[in-house]
Amino acid sequence: MWKTIASALLILTSSISFAQTADKVVIDLETLQKPHWTEQELSNATVITDFVQNLMNDHNFDYVLKHYNDSAYVQHNRNLPDKVTGLVGFLKEFVEDYPDYSYDVKHIYVDGNYVIFHSHATLDREDRGNDEKGMNIIDTWRLEDGRIVEHWDSIQALDTFMRFYSLVSGGDIQNGNGVF
């Protein structure tokens, strides 16, 4: 009898765990990686995947600060504060308003020390997978010796709300690093 109860609990626990992880956006590097990448390029893609997964999908800001808070990080998106601390501060506030914010990576490109993610970001869980909602984002990171040192992005708002949000929030210059 106890074995039956234990088995039922295990199945129930597994089902709950699966439902929770099935709802979470996870970057699948294994599927997105290319066979021609060098060992170093795969290593760089792995670093960026870990960084982005914890920052954008898991919202695990303590982890990001612990592992990636390198003072060499230069932010080229002029609407975001500089350094990893500035990025984390911005996203902490952002996910308070949009706790279901997610970043679904569709393509990964690597060229030496540059890693590029082409992604679909959405604010609401029900918009995930709908390419008429959210944002089309291309992020580029440069690494040196396995550390993230620069970031650029290009963002296309896909719906009226995101266009309005971009218009309203897009005018404040938060750093002087330039876009190139």
Side-chain angles (χ1 to χ4, degrees):
M1 177 170 146
W2 290 110
K3 279 186 171 180
T4 305
I5 293 172
S7 295
L9 280 173
L10 181 62
I11 291 168
L12 180 61
T13 305
S14 298
S15 300
I16 292 170
S17 177
F18 175 77
Q20 289 172 344
T21 56
D23 194 41
K24 182 175 130 181
V25 175
V26 177
I27 302 167
D28 186 359
L29 179 59
E30 187 175 325
T31 301
L32 296 169
Q33 75 183 45
K34 310 298 185 284
H36 66 272
W37 290 352
T38 67
E39 189 175 313
Q40 184 61 51
E41 288 173 329
L42 178 57
S43 176
N44 288 341
T46 301
V47 168
I48 297 302
T49 299
D50 182 64
F51 174 73
V52 171
Q53 181 64 45
N54 281 284
L55 181 70
M56 305 292 261
N57 290 327
D58 298 346
H59 309 147
N60 189 351
F61 303 121
D62 292 335
Y63 176 91
V64 171
L65 289 172
K66 181 178 178 184
H67 292 91
Y68 298 102
N69 189 16
D70 187 327
S71 62
Y73 183 95
V74 176
Q75 177 62 258
H76 291 283
N77 178 330
R78 302 218 31 224
N79 300 116
L80 296 176
D82 203 16
K83 309 294 181 199
V84 170
T85 53
L87 179 60
V88 166
F90 170 83
L91 279 167
K92 272 185 179 180
E93 288 182 24
F94 188 79
V95 298
E96 284 179 15
D97 293 331
Y98 304 101
D100 290 331
Y101 173 76
S102 66
Y103 183 92
D104 184 11
V105 178
K106 303 296 187 181
H107 305 280
I108 299 176
Y109 308 99
V110 184
D111 183 12
N113 287 326
Y114 291 88
V115 178
I116 301 167
F117 279 15
H118 184 198
S119 306
H120 180 214
T122 53
L123 303 180
D124 299 313
R125 182 174 279 119
E126 62 269 7
D127 292 338
R128 292 178 186 167
N130 181 349
D131 66 2
E132 294 180 4
K133 298 286 186 178
M135 298 166 281
N136 171 24
I137 301 178
I138 297 177
D139 284 292
T140 303
W141 293 270
R142 186 174 69 83
L143 294 92
E144 281 181 5
D145 301 320
R147 300 299 299 161
I148 306 168
V149 295
E150 286 186 276
H151 170 258
W152 300 262
D153 60 19
S154 180
I155 302 171
Q156 176 189 23
L158 299 173
D159 60 71
T160 304
F161 176 78
M162 288 312 306
R163 288 184 187 117
F164 178 73
Y165 178 84
S166 297
L167 179 67
V168 171
S169 66
D172 297 333
I173 304 299
Q174 299 291 322
N175 70 63
N177 296 328
V179 295
F180 301 104

